[in-house]
Amino acid sequence: MAVIVIGGHTRNIGKTSVVAALIAAMPDKCWTAIKITQFGHGICSANGEPCDCETADHTIAVSEERNPTSGTDSGRYLAAGAARSLWVRTRQGQLAEAMPRIRAEIARSENVLIESNSILRFLQPDLYATVLNPEVADFKTSSLRYLDRADALLLPSTDLRHPHWQNVSLKLIEGIPRFQISPPAYFSPEFASLVAQKLHKVGK
């Protein structure tokens, strides 16, 4: 069993598309895909807009997606071929409360894909890749915190000479392999090969 984490420095840069593309490329791996959303004050961290992510008990909620045509990110995972798809919602800074349920889901799964940065505070995945777009200035604190832990960088272009980011040292990512992803597919055969190699190694 392998755990793959896909993060990214901001919203709307293709993270969910990367996850869906990996699932579609390796549907035989029986993926459990997990989307983690943190909310605060009625604002969703996924898109920065007013939302209904906030749970009834104001703590956490874990729901299993069953409709591949729902149009949600978790629905896209199913449509791509995931065996199971979960949406985890927590308040900002309270992901720890959801970890017992997340760990239980991981334990019962064959392979796991998690879309999140903050999960890295609580587990060491077999592979962590981060989606970066040098043209988008916003850079999440959670992404910057774990940037140097990335095993792979996923970018629309492998040229990182003039990113729009502020106060982000490129020394953090020196030597990390780069893979080009482009809309609408957001798929890199080379990155998929890296993931497949990791799955094979972990499965031995």
Side-chain angles (χ1 to χ4, degrees):
M1 186 268 287
V3 177
I4 309 297
V5 172
I6 304 296
H9 73 95
T10 188
R11 57 185 181 268
N12 299 326
I13 56 172
K15 299 185 296 295
T16 299
S17 295
V18 168
V19 173
L22 278 177
I23 294 169
M26 293 175 275
D28 60 313
K29 299 306 180 183
C30 198
W31 295 105
T32 292
I34 302 174
K35 168 84 173 186
I36 296 177
T37 301
Q38 298 190 70
F39 59 83
H41 307 294
I43 300 298
C44 180
S45 67
N47 58 21
E49 298 177 354
C51 69
D52 59 358
C53 293
E54 191 157 359
T55 62
D57 59 6
H58 304 288
T59 307
I60 66 169
V62 181
S63 55
E64 181 166 357
E65 179 66 74
R66 301 186 184 278
N67 181 5
T69 63
S70 65
T72 64
D73 288 349
S74 51
R76 291 177 62 188
Y77 298 159
L78 282 184
R84 299 179 66 227
S85 179
L86 304 172
W87 183 25
V88 178
R89 292 165 284 164
T90 77
R91 270 195 180 281
Q92 287 282 359
Q94 295 187 7
L95 182 56
E97 296 187 32
M99 286 309 301
R101 173 67 185 277
I102 293 173
R103 292 186 187 280
E105 294 294 346
I106 290 174
R108 63 180 290 205
S109 301
E110 185 171 326
N111 291 296
V112 181
L113 267 168
I114 302 175
E115 184 181 333
S116 173
N117 293 310
S118 299
I119 194 75
L120 296 174
R121 177 184 173 190
F122 304 100
L123 61 79
Q124 177 64 50
D126 296 290
L127 186 146
Y128 167 54
T130 186
V131 180
L132 303 176
N133 188 332
E135 300 297 319
V136 180
D138 182 55
F139 214 106
K140 289 182 180 180
T141 301
S142 60
S143 180
L144 182 58
R145 181 179 298 124
Y146 304 114
L147 187 57
D148 61 349
R149 285 178 55 181
D151 300 294
L153 309 179
L154 309 177
L155 309 107
S157 168
T158 55
D159 185 355
L160 269 177
R161 286 177 294 179
H162 304 292
H164 291 186
W165 313 320
Q166 299 295 318
N167 303 315
V168 177
S169 173
L170 295 183
K171 291 183 178 180
L172 292 170
I173 53 178
E174 283 184 354
I176 300 177
R178 302 175 186 180
F179 300 88
Q180 187 169 354
I181 56 170
S182 302
Y186 290 95
F187 178 70
S188 163
E190 295 80 11
F191 176 62
S193 178
L194 176 66
V195 173
Q197 291 172 26
K198 178 60 69 173
L199 295 179
H200 180 70
K201 182 178 180 180
V202 172
K204 284 186 176 180

